[in-house]
Structure formats: C-alpha cells, structure tokens
Amino acid sequence: MSESAYRIVSAWLESLTTGVVELDRDWTHARPPRFTLGDQCPTPTGLKVDGGLMAAVSYRYFVNAAGEMVFALTPEHGSVIDATKDAVYVAGDFNGWQHAVGREEWRLRPGELEGERVLMWTGPAAALLQPSGQRFKFVTGEHQWLGLPAEAPNVVREPDGNLNRVIDARRTGRHLWRFTLAKPLALSDAWSVMWANRPEAEVVPIVPRNFFYELGSDLPLGALVRRDETVFRLFAPRARAVRLYLAEKLEQCEVAPGYDLELRSDADGAAGVWEITLGQNMHGWFYWYSIYWYSIDGVQTGAGRFDPSMKVLDPYALAAVRHDGPGIVLDRNWIGSGDRNFKTPAWQDLIIVEAHVRDLLTHAPIPMDSADRRGFTGLRAWVESTDFYLHHLGVNCVELQPVQQFDRPPIGDYHWGYMTTNWFSPESTYALAPDRASGVRELQDLVRAFHRRGLAVVLDVVYNHVGEPAHLLFIDRLYYFEQDAAGTLANWSGCGNDLRARSAMAKRLIIDSCLHLITAYGVDGFRFDLAELLGADVLREIEIALKRAKPDVILIAEPWSFRGHIAGALRDTGWASWNDGYRDHMRAYVRGEATAERMEYFLRGSPWYFAKWPAQTINYTESHDDRAWLDVITEHSDYNGFNPTGHDRSRTHLMVATLFMSLGIPMLAAGQDFLRSKLGVNNTYVRGDLNALDYRRLHRHLSTHAYFADWIAFRRSELGKLLRHYTRPGEGFFDFFHIPHSPALAVVYNADRSLGPTRLLFTLNPALGEVTLSLGLNLPASGFWRQIADQDRFYSPSTTHAQMPVEPELRLLPLSCCLWVSS
C-alpha cells in the first residue's frame, strides 16, 4: 500500500512536548511516516511507533513484537481497579462474555509496560483478529463490568446504549506514532498535525489528553476579600486572556469597566490560574468574566466553546443575583459559619423525608406574605410553627431537593432544581433580596431551624451535569465535560452535558463547594444525583475530603445513570445508595406480584452485593422522580390515585410497615403518609401545582398519617434498636418462614438473642386471600408474644381488647401484617 493511502484520524498531546498521531491503519513501511505541526512549529523529532503502553491506554489491546495479542488495563491511566486485589477478566464475543468470569485462562495478570505496572493478558492473536470487529470488555470476578470512556477510539455503542470496545485487525499498535518536540507547546494556541510531504491532505487538530486533565492548583479561587484589597482568581487552563468586569451597583453592570487578569506561573503551583489584585475591599460588588482563546480580537476557534461576549459566572461565586449572574463578591468573614451545635444522627438511626422547599411551603397553613412563601424565609417560619408537618410525622432528617443556584424553569416559576449553574450560591429565587445576597443568611437560618426541630439537613446536589447557561462550557469545554472522539458532549445524564468529574479541578470544585455548604451553612450531608456519572473512584476521594472536615457527614449516592449502576462498586466505601431494587420490588410485592424469597433479601438489608453494612441501603418506595407511590399501585387504570380505593390504602399500610421493618435507612417522600397523588403525571419537574403538598389531604387521611407516624416512633424507640444496625448481624439473627408458591412470610428478629432476650415477630400477606403459615413447634406460641401492631394501627401496651394469637399454624388475613414482641 502506498504512503498516500494512509489517513490521519486523530492526534493528541501526552505532555506539552510529546504526543501521538493515530493513523487509520497499521503502518507497514520500513520508513516512519513524516508529519508536521504547521509553520510555527518545527517538524516533530523522535518519531517512533508506539505499539505498547499508549495502545494499551487508548485501545486496551495491541499485538506485541512476538505477534501475540495483549489486553491491558493501566491503573495509572484511568483504570479504576486495584491490581493487588481485583480479579479481572477479558470477556467478549470470542469467549462467551460473562462465561469468561472465573476462567483462569482469561484472567489478567500483573505485568509491566514501559516501566508501568499493569494488568495484562497475553495469548495467540489469530483467533482474536479474525474476524475483525470482535467486541470485548473487562469484568471483575464479582461480575462488575468496568466502564469505558465514550471518547475511546475503538468504542461501539450497542442498540441498548451499552458501550463495548472492538478489536480492529487493521489497528494493532503500529497505527500509533509517538512524537517529541524540542520546545513545549502553549495550550492557548490551536495546533494541528498534517503530512509533511502531502500539504493537500487532511489537517487534524491536536487535543491534549490525560496530562491536561491533571492540571490544577491548590490556590484559593474565586473573589477573595481582604481588609483593603480583593483578589480575583479563575482557573482557565487554555485561555489566552481573561477579563474581569466589576460594578458597585447592579444598574451599573452594562457600563462596568474591564480588568485583565494575568496568568500565574506554573512554577508556584498555579497551573492554569489567572489572577488580579485590586486595592479595594469590594464586598457586595457584582462581577463576571469574559474568556478569550486563540484570538482576542478575531474569531474564536478550537476545541472549546469560547465566546468573549458571554458573561461567565465565576464557578466559585459565593452568591449570584440570577442563574446567569452576575456573581456577588462576599467577604467570608461576613458569611461566618453555619450551625455547629447540632449532633448529626448516626446513619442507622436516620429516618429521611425527601422534600422540595416550595412543596413544603406553598400551602403551609400559617399566615405569610407571597414573597416569604416562595423560599427560605417562609419555610423557616413553617419549620418553627407548632403545626409543622414533619415535626408531627416524627422523622429526624430532611433531604431537600436542590437549593444551589439553578437555571430558570421553561414555564412558570417552579422547578425541581436539577440544573445547577453555580454550586456555591444559594438559589436566588428562594431569597427575598438576591441582589444583596440575602439567601446566604436565609439558608443559614433555615438549617438552624431544622436543627432546632431535631432534623438533620441533607442537600440534594447535582454534579453530573450543569444547567443553562453552562458557564463551565465557556471556561473550558474540553477540560470540564465528557465528550467522544468527535467532540460531541456525552449525555448519559439525559441533560446534554456530562461533567468530567475526573478532571482535577472539576473534582476540586465539587469538594470545595460541599465543604463550603458544611462550614458556611451547617448542613449534615449530601445526596448526589446520578452519582454513577462521577465514578466510584471520584466518590471515594470526595468521601475522604469531606470526612476530614465532618467525620459524621451523611453521604448518599443515586448510584445509576443511563450508562450503568455502581451500587456494588460502592460497597467498600462510606457511601449509602438509593435502592431502586427495593423501590421496584415493593411496588410489585404489595400487589402480590413478587416472591417472598426476594422480600426476605430486602428485609435483611440487601446484604453483600448491594450493601456491605445495613445503613448502605436507602430503602424507599417514592421519590420526586416518576409517579407518586399511590399513583403507581392504585387499582385505577389511569394511574390516578387521587381517590384511593380501600386496597390502595391497605397496600400503602403494608408498604410502610415493611419499610420500617427492613434493615437499612428508611426514606419517605413528603406527603406519602397522607396518600399524596400527582394525578398520574409521570414527570412533574415544573408542575408546582401537582407537587405542592395539600395539607387538607392530611386531615382527610389522618389515620394513614397516624399509622406512618406510629411506625416512625416505633423505629426510633428503644425496641426499634433491634432494627437499627450499624454492622451486619449474624446469619442467626433472622428466622424466616415461607409458604410454597405464596408471597406471604413471617420473620423473627433477634432469633439468636445476640442483642438480648427480646425478639420481634413480623408477618406479611400481600395476597387477596387468607393463608396459613406453619411456624413449627420451635417457636413459642401465644402467651409468649404481645401484639403491638397490625395493618391498621399500633396498640397501646395497656390495651385489653382481643389480639391476633400466635399459633403453630398461623392465620394471615388478606392484605395484612402483624407485629408482636416477645413477653
């Protein structure tokens, strides 16, 4: 094949002086190919075929000099594995995929490539190269499939959305050519590679790779107010110029003067940091940035969305006037610190309610003006009221949907808030005077009010993507966002711009903003939206950093995205996870459509695969997403449970009884205790009319509310300690009883008396017919047990009316549950 038949398909920098050119196929000529980086850069020197480590990093395979196929994982280059502990296998079309797990002939072994420790598999290449295009992936011995970046050059997306790699017989390592430059390139310039002897051929841009995403600084960022000066710092690693605009008054923003920042030297640990110091205390001033790249006067080009006309909100702004800015300069001494007197409950003692600021507040039955009823101040007044709903319910933790600055809703003035535009600023529409940063004090006061009520505050935070305007896109699209080889933004969040949380300063931005929320507002923890997109390795680093500041911080992951699920990968961390398996099972179980054996797994606390210790599972049956619980399980065919049937109510009672008898952390959605309905609507993210809690409905369904409250009180009681476990109990703690082919069951808690002499007996029958369950002769019968609850009520210890007897052949009524305690 002639040299003119080859094409350059991509090129990237490994450092500022080394890079790689990728051809469309293996180079078969004895003489190396010849490239140039343009008129302003000398011809690359030191050109050599890679065929080893770089092929392993990019493609995860290559053919070595001996003609053998090598599959390799490179822990130092983005492989999230522990080579000392993890058993990893290569699986694909050639070995039956999951059937490769446990087969030693497909296991990767420790080795070295170019001095770097790797996990690798080496074997005959012929059957793997032919037919070309065979797919493969890596999987652990526990059947955890390792993810892969969408920008991998040999990635293929399956019809179901899953990503796999392919083996291309034309690309076995000799298609990658590494070059060296005599002097470093500047990241602020646009560089391209082309054939030295074929000027008419393709010109391919050169983009930075792994080293670029590791750039960062430990310098404090944002607007830093000192006694008589203010320092402004922004991390923008590829900018050619950064301009700051300042206005003392909001109405002066249109004529605000500009100040050019200077790029600090890399030598002082400030790579990519731009800075200016102004000799004035500017607390309360308004500011924003313009970012320039490649041409400060002409057209902005290159692999980024640089637009000098865009008013960029500082990602470290401590308050903002609106979702699109401007930011407000705040002295951290003025902000002060949040409530430090509240003792965050132990995880095993938590009972969480998920709620939205305006859902709680809109119809709160206390007098307030319309401005207060929109945000933090009004909610604080409701929390402090003697009639506060969550106080009467008895929970000890509220999980607030997003309160960080988010973008404007497309219609109306209501939004769930999962489109964050700044992670430090309180949501401006929840503040009475956002131009004076009043939201800072208002949110601090709200958290203190919750604490005085005995409720911990967990914030729902969204770090997997950003809202509009996407300010980080205009600072550096390549650095901050996941994208494929063609530069298309990844969209596993469903919101169009997945954050590259692995980038050093993106990770720092997440950690710094969480630390700010802890120190400035006194929050107790966080629930991370679509945490799978951040990755288990990043979540581990976040955990370590936050626990240094607050050892008892509550950390909850929504462990999935449209890409995958990582609850299993979080077992060895200090993260709890929303248990979607529990949610889906309970919806089916109360209708008699799921097995008792599966119910046993969830009552035990989803052990081992999902939760290594009980408080790692957040057990829930309804959240803000999708339909309300009642609308899902209602007997009405249109999913509208507004007028629940008797069975709807009974099944809800079975659900809550089961929820509070399950090991793990129970979570309710606000209003679930009074049979809240969203009229069957599946996605209510801008439907404040449907989401707002109608407290008149609480009185309409007061017995169900009381039933929930009684279960909560039981769970938090001394007797409820039998269900609140920090470590996993022994196998003998439970004793389960089943009926063949029936969803009904019975279970004894503390059967082995490992937690003292007291035992609990709990029965469930979600079927519409009565069943008889055999307890055998080993379990004490009536006289030993005192009934404390059934499907309708809790009983007072002094009650004298008839109770359901415990007999060797135990009758379980339709749609029933019963709870007894040993005498």
Side-chain angles (χ1 to χ4, degrees), residues 591-619:
R591 291 179 288 189
E593 298 169 358
T595 66
E597 289 74 19
R598 186 66 172 160
M599 189 70 258
E600 176 180 333
Y601 171 77
F602 290 117
L603 286 168
R604 289 178 180 269
S606 304
W608 305 121
Y609 171 72
F610 193 95
K612 202 165 188 177
W613 35 285
Q616 274 194 307
T617 171
I618 305 295
N619 300 326

PDB file of all heavy atoms in Angstrom, residues 591-619:
ATOM      1  N   ARG A 591     -48.831  -5.891  45.625  1.00  0.00           N
ATOM      2  CA  ARG A 591     -49.902  -6.357  44.748  1.00  0.00           C
ATOM      3  C   ARG A 591     -49.838  -7.878  44.548  1.00  0.00           C
ATOM      4  O   ARG A 591     -50.510  -8.416  43.670  1.00  0.00           O
ATOM      5  CB  ARG A 591     -49.817  -5.636  43.400  1.00  0.00           C
ATOM      6  CG  ARG A 591     -50.160  -4.165  43.498  1.00  0.00           C
ATOM      7  CD  ARG A 591     -50.056  -3.435  42.173  1.00  0.00           C
ATOM      8  NE  ARG A 591     -48.664  -3.256  41.751  1.00  0.00           N
ATOM      9  CZ  ARG A 591     -48.291  -2.511  40.718  1.00  0.00           C
ATOM     10  NH1 ARG A 591     -49.215  -1.877  40.015  1.00  0.00           N
ATOM     11  NH2 ARG A 591     -47.033  -2.398  40.390  1.00  0.00           N
ATOM     12  N   GLY A 592     -48.999  -8.532  45.356  1.00  0.00           N
ATOM     13  CA  GLY A 592     -48.888  -9.979  45.267  1.00  0.00           C
ATOM     14  C   GLY A 592     -48.158 -10.472  44.044  1.00  0.00           C
ATOM     15  O   GLY A 592     -48.286 -11.636  43.661  1.00  0.00           O
ATOM     16  N   GLU A 593     -47.325  -9.601  43.444  1.00  0.00           N
ATOM     17  CA  GLU A 593     -46.675  -9.927  42.176  1.00  0.00           C
ATOM     18  C   GLU A 593     -45.179 -10.165  42.318  1.00  0.00           C
ATOM     19  O   GLU A 593     -44.453 -10.186  41.320  1.00  0.00           O
ATOM     20  CB  GLU A 593     -46.923  -8.795  41.169  1.00  0.00           C
ATOM     21  CG  GLU A 593     -48.393  -8.582  40.848  1.00  0.00           C
ATOM     22  CD  GLU A 593     -48.640  -7.307  40.057  1.00  0.00           C
ATOM     23  OE1 GLU A 593     -47.646  -6.587  39.794  1.00  0.00           O
ATOM     24  OE2 GLU A 593     -49.806  -7.029  39.723  1.00  0.00           O
ATOM     25  N   ALA A 594     -44.685 -10.339  43.552  1.00  0.00           N
ATOM     26  CA  ALA A 594     -43.267 -10.614  43.781  1.00  0.00           C
ATOM     27  C   ALA A 594     -43.153 -11.705  44.844  1.00  0.00           C
ATOM     28  O   ALA A 594     -44.100 -11.973  45.581  1.00  0.00           O
ATOM     29  CB  ALA A 594     -42.525  -9.354  44.211  1.00  0.00           C
ATOM     30  N   THR A 595     -41.989 -12.330  44.933  1.00  0.00           N
ATOM     31  CA  THR A 595     -41.836 -13.507  45.772  1.00  0.00           C
ATOM     32  C   THR A 595     -41.459 -13.164  47.196  1.00  0.00           C
ATOM     33  O   THR A 595     -40.857 -12.112  47.477  1.00  0.00           O
ATOM     34  CB  THR A 595     -40.757 -14.438  45.198  1.00  0.00           C
ATOM     35  OG1 THR A 595     -39.478 -13.768  45.290  1.00  0.00           O
ATOM     36  CG2 THR A 595     -41.045 -14.782  43.744  1.00  0.00           C
ATOM     37  N   ALA A 596     -41.768 -14.064  48.097  1.00  0.00           N
ATOM     38  CA  ALA A 596     -41.359 -13.921  49.496  1.00  0.00           C
ATOM     39  C   ALA A 596     -39.847 -14.016  49.628  1.00  0.00           C
ATOM     40  O   ALA A 596     -39.248 -13.360  50.492  1.00  0.00           O
ATOM     41  CB  ALA A 596     -42.038 -14.990  50.342  1.00  0.00           C
ATOM     42  N   GLU A 597     -39.216 -14.848  48.798  1.00  0.00           N
ATOM     43  CA  GLU A 597     -37.760 -15.001  48.872  1.00  0.00           C
ATOM     44  C   GLU A 597     -37.050 -13.686  48.561  1.00  0.00           C
ATOM     45  O   GLU A 597     -36.071 -13.325  49.218  1.00  0.00           O
ATOM     46  CB  GLU A 597     -37.298 -16.096  47.904  1.00  0.00           C
ATOM     47  CG  GLU A 597     -37.680 -17.508  48.310  1.00  0.00           C
ATOM     48  CD  GLU A 597     -39.161 -17.802  48.111  1.00  0.00           C
ATOM     49  OE1 GLU A 597     -39.826 -17.058  47.331  1.00  0.00           O
ATOM     50  OE2 GLU A 597     -39.661 -18.764  48.734  1.00  0.00           O
ATOM     51  N   ARG A 598     -37.549 -12.952  47.562  1.00  0.00           N
ATOM     52  CA  ARG A 598     -36.955 -11.656  47.251  1.00  0.00           C
ATOM     53  C   ARG A 598     -37.235 -10.659  48.366  1.00  0.00           C
ATOM     54  O   ARG A 598     -36.381  -9.842  48.716  1.00  0.00           O
ATOM     55  CB  ARG A 598     -37.528 -11.149  45.928  1.00  0.00           C
ATOM     56  CG  ARG A 598     -36.881  -9.878  45.404  1.00  0.00           C
ATOM     57  CD  ARG A 598     -35.440 -10.090  45.016  1.00  0.00           C
ATOM     58  NE  ARG A 598     -34.895  -8.934  44.339  1.00  0.00           N
ATOM     59  CZ  ARG A 598     -33.588  -8.685  44.219  1.00  0.00           C
ATOM     60  NH1 ARG A 598     -32.713  -9.539  44.736  1.00  0.00           N
ATOM     61  NH2 ARG A 598     -33.155  -7.618  43.590  1.00  0.00           N
ATOM     62  N   MET A 599     -38.423 -10.724  48.949  1.00  0.00           N
ATOM     63  CA  MET A 599     -38.756  -9.850  50.068  1.00  0.00           C
ATOM     64  C   MET A 599     -37.831 -10.115  51.242  1.00  0.00           C
ATOM     65  O   MET A 599     -37.422  -9.177  51.950  1.00  0.00           O
ATOM     66  CB  MET A 599     -40.206 -10.078  50.487  1.00  0.00           C
ATOM     67  CG  MET A 599     -40.735  -9.066  51.514  1.00  0.00           C
ATOM     68  SD  MET A 599     -40.968  -7.405  50.852  1.00  0.00           S
ATOM     69  CE  MET A 599     -39.523  -6.558  51.482  1.00  0.00           C
ATOM     70  N   GLU A 600     -37.471 -11.360  51.466  1.00  0.00           N
ATOM     71  CA  GLU A 600     -36.542 -11.703  52.546  1.00  0.00           C
ATOM     72  C   GLU A 600     -35.207 -10.985  52.353  1.00  0.00           C
ATOM     73  O   GLU A 600     -34.632 -10.457  53.310  1.00  0.00           O
ATOM     74  CB  GLU A 600     -36.325 -13.216  52.593  1.00  0.00           C
ATOM     75  CG  GLU A 600     -35.297 -13.649  53.628  1.00  0.00           C
ATOM     76  CD  GLU A 600     -35.091 -15.155  53.668  1.00  0.00           C
ATOM     77  OE1 GLU A 600     -36.033 -15.897  53.316  1.00  0.00           O
ATOM     78  OE2 GLU A 600     -33.984 -15.587  54.059  1.00  0.00           O
ATOM     79  N   TYR A 601     -34.713 -10.954  51.118  1.00  0.00           N
ATOM     80  CA  TYR A 601     -33.447 -10.282  50.829  1.00  0.00           C
ATOM     81  C   TYR A 601     -33.507  -8.814  51.254  1.00  0.00           C
ATOM     82  O   TYR A 601     -32.572  -8.290  51.877  1.00  0.00           O
ATOM     83  CB  TYR A 601     -33.145 -10.398  49.339  1.00  0.00           C
ATOM     84  CG  TYR A 601     -31.975  -9.564  48.857  1.00  0.00           C
ATOM     85  CD1 TYR A 601     -30.666  -9.964  49.094  1.00  0.00           C
ATOM     86  CD2 TYR A 601     -32.192  -8.370  48.167  1.00  0.00           C
ATOM     87  CE1 TYR A 601     -29.593  -9.200  48.642  1.00  0.00           C
ATOM     88  CE2 TYR A 601     -31.129  -7.605  47.721  1.00  0.00           C
ATOM     89  CZ  TYR A 601     -29.830  -8.023  47.965  1.00  0.00           C
ATOM     90  OH  TYR A 601     -28.773  -7.261  47.526  1.00  0.00           O
ATOM     91  N   PHE A 602     -34.600  -8.143  50.950  1.00  0.00           N
ATOM     92  CA  PHE A 602     -34.704  -6.719  51.276  1.00  0.00           C
ATOM     93  C   PHE A 602     -34.936  -6.493  52.767  1.00  0.00           C
ATOM     94  O   PHE A 602     -34.444  -5.514  53.333  1.00  0.00           O
ATOM     95  CB  PHE A 602     -35.793  -6.072  50.440  1.00  0.00           C
ATOM     96  CG  PHE A 602     -35.447  -5.954  48.985  1.00  0.00           C
ATOM     97  CD1 PHE A 602     -36.189  -6.615  48.020  1.00  0.00           C
ATOM     98  CD2 PHE A 602     -34.370  -5.192  48.572  1.00  0.00           C
ATOM     99  CE1 PHE A 602     -35.862  -6.516  46.676  1.00  0.00           C
ATOM    100  CE2 PHE A 602     -34.025  -5.086  47.230  1.00  0.00           C
ATOM    101  CZ  PHE A 602     -34.780  -5.752  46.277  1.00  0.00           C
ATOM    102  N   LEU A 603     -35.678  -7.363  53.423  1.00  0.00           N
ATOM    103  CA  LEU A 603     -35.837  -7.238  54.870  1.00  0.00           C
ATOM    104  C   LEU A 603     -34.506  -7.398  55.588  1.00  0.00           C
ATOM    105  O   LEU A 603     -34.261  -6.769  56.625  1.00  0.00           O
ATOM    106  CB  LEU A 603     -36.840  -8.272  55.380  1.00  0.00           C
ATOM    107  CG  LEU A 603     -38.318  -7.998  55.072  1.00  0.00           C
ATOM    108  CD1 LEU A 603     -39.161  -9.233  55.359  1.00  0.00           C
ATOM    109  CD2 LEU A 603     -38.831  -6.805  55.869  1.00  0.00           C
ATOM    110  N   ARG A 604     -33.631  -8.217  55.053  1.00  0.00           N
ATOM    111  CA  ARG A 604     -32.295  -8.411  55.630  1.00  0.00           C
ATOM    112  C   ARG A 604     -31.381  -7.206  55.399  1.00  0.00           C
ATOM    113  O   ARG A 604     -30.285  -7.140  55.946  1.00  0.00           O
ATOM    114  CB  ARG A 604     -31.634  -9.648  55.032  1.00  0.00           C
ATOM    115  CG  ARG A 604     -32.239 -10.986  55.466  1.00  0.00           C
ATOM    116  CD  ARG A 604     -31.530 -12.133  54.755  1.00  0.00           C
ATOM    117  NE  ARG A 604     -32.056 -13.431  55.133  1.00  0.00           N
ATOM    118  CZ  ARG A 604     -31.594 -14.168  56.145  1.00  0.00           C
ATOM    119  NH1 ARG A 604     -30.602 -13.714  56.890  1.00  0.00           N
ATOM    120  NH2 ARG A 604     -32.123 -15.340  56.402  1.00  0.00           N
ATOM    121  N   GLY A 605     -31.807  -6.264  54.586  1.00  0.00           N
ATOM    122  CA  GLY A 605     -30.980  -5.086  54.325  1.00  0.00           C
ATOM    123  C   GLY A 605     -30.157  -5.198  53.059  1.00  0.00           C
ATOM    124  O   GLY A 605     -29.064  -4.616  52.989  1.00  0.00           O
ATOM    125  N   SER A 606     -30.667  -5.914  52.054  1.00  0.00           N
ATOM    126  CA  SER A 606     -29.976  -6.052  50.749  1.00  0.00           C
ATOM    127  C   SER A 606     -28.509  -6.414  50.929  1.00  0.00           C
ATOM    128  O   SER A 606     -27.614  -5.691  50.478  1.00  0.00           O
ATOM    129  CB  SER A 606     -30.112  -4.752  49.939  1.00  0.00           C
ATOM    130  OG  SER A 606     -31.456  -4.395  49.777  1.00  0.00           O
ATOM    131  N   PRO A 607     -28.229  -7.522  51.615  1.00  0.00           N
ATOM    132  CA  PRO A 607     -26.841  -7.791  52.028  1.00  0.00           C
ATOM    133  C   PRO A 607     -25.906  -8.122  50.881  1.00  0.00           C
ATOM    134  O   PRO A 607     -26.297  -8.658  49.859  1.00  0.00           O
ATOM    135  CB  PRO A 607     -27.003  -8.982  52.970  1.00  0.00           C
ATOM    136  CG  PRO A 607     -28.262  -9.652  52.532  1.00  0.00           C
ATOM    137  CD  PRO A 607     -29.166  -8.553  52.070  1.00  0.00           C
ATOM    138  N   TRP A 608     -24.662  -7.741  51.106  1.00  0.00           N
ATOM    139  CA  TRP A 608     -23.464  -8.132  50.371  1.00  0.00           C
ATOM    140  C   TRP A 608     -23.381  -7.498  49.000  1.00  0.00           C
ATOM    141  O   TRP A 608     -22.570  -6.598  48.804  1.00  0.00           O
ATOM    142  CB  TRP A 608     -23.317  -9.654  50.313  1.00  0.00           C
ATOM    143  CG  TRP A 608     -23.336 -10.219  51.696  1.00  0.00           C
ATOM    144  CD1 TRP A 608     -24.209 -11.140  52.205  1.00  0.00           C
ATOM    145  CD2 TRP A 608     -22.489  -9.840  52.789  1.00  0.00           C
ATOM    146  NE1 TRP A 608     -23.952 -11.370  53.530  1.00  0.00           N
ATOM    147  CE2 TRP A 608     -22.891 -10.589  53.924  1.00  0.00           C
ATOM    148  CE3 TRP A 608     -21.436  -8.939  52.946  1.00  0.00           C
ATOM    149  CZ2 TRP A 608     -22.288 -10.467  55.158  1.00  0.00           C
ATOM    150  CZ3 TRP A 608     -20.829  -8.827  54.169  1.00  0.00           C
ATOM    151  CH2 TRP A 608     -21.251  -9.580  55.256  1.00  0.00           C
ATOM    152  N   TYR A 609     -24.162  -7.898  48.021  1.00  0.00           N
ATOM    153  CA  TYR A 609     -23.947  -7.292  46.708  1.00  0.00           C
ATOM    154  C   TYR A 609     -24.260  -5.803  46.747  1.00  0.00           C
ATOM    155  O   TYR A 609     -23.485  -4.979  46.269  1.00  0.00           O
ATOM    156  CB  TYR A 609     -24.800  -7.964  45.624  1.00  0.00           C
ATOM    157  CG  TYR A 609     -24.738  -7.184  44.336  1.00  0.00           C
ATOM    158  CD1 TYR A 609     -23.570  -7.199  43.566  1.00  0.00           C
ATOM    159  CD2 TYR A 609     -25.789  -6.369  43.926  1.00  0.00           C
ATOM    160  CE1 TYR A 609     -23.478  -6.439  42.405  1.00  0.00           C
ATOM    161  CE2 TYR A 609     -25.704  -5.608  42.768  1.00  0.00           C
ATOM    162  CZ  TYR A 609     -24.542  -5.658  42.011  1.00  0.00           C
ATOM    163  OH  TYR A 609     -24.449  -4.890  40.879  1.00  0.00           O
ATOM    164  N   PHE A 610     -25.408  -5.426  47.335  1.00  0.00           N
ATOM    165  CA  PHE A 610     -25.786  -4.014  47.340  1.00  0.00           C
ATOM    166  C   PHE A 610     -25.204  -3.295  48.543  1.00  0.00           C
ATOM    167  O   PHE A 610     -24.652  -2.194  48.402  1.00  0.00           O
ATOM    168  CB  PHE A 610     -27.319  -3.888  47.348  1.00  0.00           C
ATOM    169  CG  PHE A 610     -27.800  -2.499  47.038  1.00  0.00           C
ATOM    170  CD1 PHE A 610     -28.150  -2.148  45.742  1.00  0.00           C
ATOM    171  CD2 PHE A 610     -27.900  -1.532  48.036  1.00  0.00           C
ATOM    172  CE1 PHE A 610     -28.583  -0.862  45.448  1.00  0.00           C
ATOM    173  CE2 PHE A 610     -28.333  -0.252  47.748  1.00  0.00           C
ATOM    174  CZ  PHE A 610     -28.675   0.089  46.453  1.00  0.00           C
ATOM    175  N   ALA A 611     -25.323  -3.884  49.714  1.00  0.00           N
ATOM    176  CA  ALA A 611     -24.930  -3.196  50.946  1.00  0.00           C
ATOM    177  C   ALA A 611     -24.056  -4.119  51.789  1.00  0.00           C
ATOM    178  O   ALA A 611     -24.502  -5.170  52.227  1.00  0.00           O
ATOM    179  CB  ALA A 611     -26.162  -2.770  51.740  1.00  0.00           C
ATOM    180  N   LYS A 612     -22.827  -3.697  52.013  1.00  0.00           N
ATOM    181  CA  LYS A 612     -21.928  -4.486  52.851  1.00  0.00           C
ATOM    182  C   LYS A 612     -22.284  -4.328  54.322  1.00  0.00           C
ATOM    183  O   LYS A 612     -22.040  -5.208  55.123  1.00  0.00           O
ATOM    184  CB  LYS A 612     -20.489  -4.047  52.605  1.00  0.00           C
ATOM    185  CG  LYS A 612     -19.449  -5.085  52.982  1.00  0.00           C
ATOM    186  CD  LYS A 612     -18.098  -4.745  52.395  1.00  0.00           C
ATOM    187  CE  LYS A 612     -17.111  -5.875  52.599  1.00  0.00           C
ATOM    188  NZ  LYS A 612     -15.811  -5.580  51.967  1.00  0.00           N
ATOM    189  N   TRP A 613     -22.882  -3.180  54.669  1.00  0.00           N
ATOM    190  CA  TRP A 613     -23.373  -2.937  56.023  1.00  0.00           C
ATOM    191  C   TRP A 613     -24.755  -2.308  55.883  1.00  0.00           C
ATOM    192  O   TRP A 613     -25.060  -1.661  54.876  1.00  0.00           O
ATOM    193  CB  TRP A 613     -22.424  -2.064  56.836  1.00  0.00           C
ATOM    194  CG  TRP A 613     -21.713  -0.993  56.077  1.00  0.00           C
ATOM    195  CD1 TRP A 613     -20.673  -1.132  55.217  1.00  0.00           C
ATOM    196  CD2 TRP A 613     -21.995   0.419  56.106  1.00  0.00           C
ATOM    197  NE1 TRP A 613     -20.286   0.083  54.706  1.00  0.00           N
ATOM    198  CE2 TRP A 613     -21.079   1.049  55.236  1.00  0.00           C
ATOM    199  CE3 TRP A 613     -22.922   1.196  56.786  1.00  0.00           C
ATOM    200  CZ2 TRP A 613     -21.067   2.416  55.024  1.00  0.00           C
ATOM    201  CZ3 TRP A 613     -22.914   2.570  56.583  1.00  0.00           C
ATOM    202  CH2 TRP A 613     -21.988   3.173  55.704  1.00  0.00           C
ATOM    203  N   PRO A 614     -25.650  -2.530  56.843  1.00  0.00           N
ATOM    204  CA  PRO A 614     -27.069  -2.228  56.637  1.00  0.00           C
ATOM    205  C   PRO A 614     -27.371  -0.802  56.210  1.00  0.00           C
ATOM    206  O   PRO A 614     -28.231  -0.583  55.353  1.00  0.00           O
ATOM    207  CB  PRO A 614     -27.696  -2.549  57.990  1.00  0.00           C
ATOM    208  CG  PRO A 614     -26.815  -3.586  58.578  1.00  0.00           C
ATOM    209  CD  PRO A 614     -25.427  -3.216  58.145  1.00  0.00           C
ATOM    210  N   ALA A 615     -26.689   0.195  56.807  1.00  0.00           N
ATOM    211  CA  ALA A 615     -27.028   1.582  56.500  1.00  0.00           C
ATOM    212  C   ALA A 615     -26.520   2.029  55.139  1.00  0.00           C
ATOM    213  O   ALA A 615     -26.630   3.208  54.790  1.00  0.00           O
ATOM    214  CB  ALA A 615     -26.498   2.514  57.598  1.00  0.00           C
ATOM    215  N   GLN A 616     -25.989   1.110  54.340  1.00  0.00           N
ATOM    216  CA  GLN A 616     -25.614   1.465  52.974  1.00  0.00           C
ATOM    217  C   GLN A 616     -26.801   1.435  52.020  1.00  0.00           C
ATOM    218  O   GLN A 616     -26.696   1.924  50.902  1.00  0.00           O
ATOM    219  CB  GLN A 616     -24.521   0.526  52.454  1.00  0.00           C
ATOM    220  CG  GLN A 616     -23.118   0.965  52.816  1.00  0.00           C
ATOM    221  CD  GLN A 616     -22.075   0.225  52.011  1.00  0.00           C
ATOM    222  OE1 GLN A 616     -22.063  -1.006  51.966  1.00  0.00           O
ATOM    223  NE2 GLN A 616     -21.185   0.949  51.379  1.00  0.00           N
ATOM    224  N   THR A 617     -27.914   0.869  52.443  1.00  0.00           N
ATOM    225  CA  THR A 617     -29.081   0.855  51.579  1.00  0.00           C
ATOM    226  C   THR A 617     -30.109   1.876  52.061  1.00  0.00           C
ATOM    227  O   THR A 617     -30.511   1.867  53.226  1.00  0.00           O
ATOM    228  CB  THR A 617     -29.731  -0.541  51.501  1.00  0.00           C
ATOM    229  OG1 THR A 617     -30.981  -0.439  50.802  1.00  0.00           O
ATOM    230  CG2 THR A 617     -29.975  -1.158  52.868  1.00  0.00           C
ATOM    231  N   ILE A 618     -30.477   2.783  51.165  1.00  0.00           N
ATOM    232  CA  ILE A 618     -31.567   3.714  51.423  1.00  0.00           C
ATOM    233  C   ILE A 618     -32.831   3.065  50.852  1.00  0.00           C
ATOM    234  O   ILE A 618     -33.012   2.982  49.635  1.00  0.00           O
ATOM    235  CB  ILE A 618     -31.332   5.084  50.754  1.00  0.00           C
ATOM    236  CG1 ILE A 618     -29.977   5.673  51.179  1.00  0.00           C
ATOM    237  CG2 ILE A 618     -32.477   6.037  51.083  1.00  0.00           C
ATOM    238  CD1 ILE A 618     -29.869   6.012  52.639  1.00  0.00           C
ATOM    239  N   ASN A 619     -33.669   2.556  51.734  1.00  0.00           N
ATOM    240  CA  ASN A 619     -34.888   1.871  51.312  1.00  0.00           C
ATOM    241  C   ASN A 619     -35.991   2.902  51.097  1.00  0.00           C
ATOM    242  O   ASN A 619     -36.320   3.667  52.008  1.00  0.00           O
ATOM    243  CB  ASN A 619     -35.314   0.855  52.369  1.00  0.00           C
ATOM    244  CG  ASN A 619     -34.253  -0.211  52.610  1.00  0.00           C
ATOM    245  OD1 ASN A 619     -33.541  -0.603  51.687  1.00  0.00           O
ATOM    246  ND2 ASN A 619     -34.141  -0.667  53.844  1.00  0.00           N
TER     247      ASN A 619
END
